[in-house]
Amino acid sequence: VDALDTASEIPLARIGATLCEVGHRAILFGGVSQAGAYLNDVYMLEWDLESAVSIGRERRQLAKAFVSFFSYCVSLTIGATASARADHTCVASHDGTLVVFGGRDATRRFNSVHVLDPSSRTWRTPSCGGAAPKPRSMHAACSAAGGHQMIVSG
């Protein structure tokens, strides 16, 4: 997959989104815009670690150079994208993928699981065994067992 498609596009202001770190990038997914639209867009905030270290040494330069080592890029994704939602959870998995669970839109809560591979920008919906948790939003989640498990509560 080539570089991200749109450089330096800033995401809409939103609430109820998730932001999860994977390697040298943070992935922003979903939320609700100020206009009340539920979102399922994906943004990647990438940074240049060498610049960040240099700037860390010269704190006075931080504000000036902030833009030089951070850049937001909208990420066009492939596959069955998770539906627009807010108040969901997202954790990084052991293999560098992101696992999204639950959330809500204007009419319902979800108990679905979606996996995003940031490297290939591909979504997939895994098959999960056992009893499905009840749909929920505004809950908490974390990764456990070295990123091999997702624990959801609330």
Side-chain angles (χ1 to χ4, degrees):
V1 176
D2 293 332
L4 298 176
D5 298 305
T6 306
S8 301
E9 182 176 329
I10 306 272
L12 292 172
R14 61 192 68 211
I15 59 172
T18 52
L19 184 67
C20 195
E21 180 188 7
V22 178
H24 65 282
R25 62 177 71 144
I27 314 295
L28 175 71
F29 172 69
V32 180
S33 72
Q34 289 179 325
Y38 284 81
L39 306 168
N40 68 343
D41 52 357
V42 175
Y43 282 84
M44 295 187 189
L45 173 64
E46 298 189 327
W47 54 87
D48 174 355
L49 293 178
E50 288 180 25
S51 296
V53 169
S54 297
I55 290 167
R57 291 186 194 125
E58 295 292 327
R59 296 187 82 172
R60 291 171 289 172
Q61 299 293 324
L62 182 60
K64 250 200 271 186
F66 182 78
V67 176
S68 72
F69 70 91
F70 284 112
S71 65
Y72 262 115
C73 301
V74 66
S75 178
L76 300 179
T77 56
I78 302 164
T81 303
S83 60
R85 65 190 61 215
D87 302 325
H88 52 283
T89 52
C90 180
V91 300
S93 183
H94 69 283
D95 59 1
T97 59
L98 297 178
V99 181
V100 174
F101 174 75
R104 66 181 177 88
D105 64 16
T107 61
R108 65 190 186 277
R109 286 189 166 80
F110 302 109
N111 67 342
S112 55
V113 177
H114 303 276
V115 177
L116 174 64
D117 182 340
S119 297
S120 65
R121 296 183 285 168
T122 303
W123 282 100
R124 64 183 172 85
T125 303
S127 58
C128 301
K134 291 184 179 178
R136 62 193 69 211
S137 61
M138 301 179 75
H139 54 284
C142 68
S143 61
H148 289 269
Q149 295 177 346
M150 178 180 195
I151 299 173
V152 176
S153 179

